[in-house]
Amino acid sequence: MSLIQQALRLAAKGFHVFPCEPNGKLPVIKDFPNRATRDPEQITKWFEGRDFNIGVSTSSFGDGQALVVVDVDNKNGKEGDAQLLSLELEGFELPASLEQSTPSGGRHIVYVAEQALKQGVNVLGDGLDIRSRGGYIVGPGSTIDGKAYYQIDGRGQIVSAPDWLVDRLGVDVRPAASSVEPLAGVDPDRARGRALDFLKIAPHA
């Protein structure tokens, strides 16, 4: 399966995709969390005739949901799988879900959540990173130095992130925009003018 076919296939399953550099992980577009898409026309424009790898945004999934990916790292002294076992022994088990292998010997365990969660490095322990709001993973079919990302057989069904994981990570809430609605009975232009006049004579703080 070609990379463009794989990108279109992922989009049809609900994943928001974008192009990454050939043989690498870096996005080749700006603002990928907002520009990643499921639109076949845009995906075709990006990937047709190119050897881009596939980026999968974790900020969005389907219509209004998000992804939470546990990135299990087993290189450079990190033992993510051992940390997963420790979590299970403490009663924090990760249910089977969609998984993919990575060229470095790690794996991605992919969950869906109602909202994007906080992400970070070593969040659940050494070698267990989280990708969610503002993040991404490299998708299956992509290759780095001849080694491919591929889906692990038998775990093709994506499931919801467990409650304990959602509770531990917390929803990544961005500050809401300030309300611009004036208070009842207040002339906003007059109030603004009075405030500016006051600031001109107010003592220095």
Side-chain angles (χ1 to χ4, degrees), residues 45-59:
K45 287 180 181 178
W46 278 337
F47 285 90
E48 193 168 35
R50 311 285 183 87
D51 57 353
F52 289 141
N53 277 339
I54 304 167
V56 176
S57 173
T58 51
S59 296

Side-chain angles (χ1 to χ4, degrees), residues 171-193:
V171 175
D172 191 4
V173 179
R174 294 293 187 262
S178 298
S179 172
V180 295
E181 293 295 324
L183 295 174
V186 174
D187 181 338
D189 292 329
R190 182 170 180 270
R192 188 180 302 110

Side-chain angles (χ1 to χ4, degrees), residues 116-140:
L117 305 179
K118 294 178 182 178
Q119 65 172 11
V121 177
N122 298 330
V123 175
L124 301 179
D126 193 34
L128 295 179
D129 303 340
I130 296 294
R131 303 282 179 257
S132 194
R133 179 157 188 153
Y136 71 99
I137 59 173
V138 178

Side-chain angles (χ1 to χ4, degrees), residues 30-178:
K30 295 181 179 179
D31 195 26
F32 71 85
N34 292 313
R35 294 181 61 195
T37 185
R38 298 168 59 200
D39 177 39
E41 183 177 349
Q42 180 61 67
I43 293 170
T44 300
K45 287 180 181 178
W46 278 337
F47 285 90
E48 193 168 35
R50 311 285 183 87
D51 57 353
F52 289 141
N53 277 339
I54 304 167
V56 176
S57 173
T58 51
S59 296
S60 305
F61 178 75
D63 298 316
Q65 294 182 300
L67 296 177
V68 180
V69 177
V70 181
D71 186 353
V72 185
D73 198 353
N74 292 308
K75 68 178 187 297
N76 298 329
K78 294 186 176 182
E79 298 181 351
D81 282 320
Q83 290 292 329
L84 279 181
L85 179 58
S86 295
L87 283 172
E88 290 181 13
L89 293 174
E90 294 172 12
F92 300 109
E93 185 173 358
L94 288 171
S97 188
L98 175 71
E99 286 193 25
Q100 75 167 14
S101 71
T102 68
S104 61
R107 57 195 172 111
H108 297 147
I109 311 174
V110 185
Y111 298 101
V112 66
E114 291 304 310
Q115 299 181 64
L117 305 179
K118 294 178 182 178
Q119 65 172 11
V121 177
N122 298 330
V123 175
L124 301 179
D126 193 34
L128 295 179
D129 303 340
I130 296 294
R131 303 282 179 257
S132 194
R133 179 157 188 153
Y136 71 99
I137 59 173
V138 178
S142 305
T143 59
I144 294 180
D145 296 334
K147 297 180 180 180
Y149 291 79
Y150 62 90
Q151 184 175 318
I152 297 174
D153 292 339
R155 293 186 172 88
Q157 183 65 40
I158 186 170
V159 304
S160 296
D163 290 341
W164 72 263
L165 182 59
V166 174
D167 292 341
R168 180 173 292 194
L169 298 177
V171 175
D172 191 4
V173 179
R174 294 293 187 262
S178 298

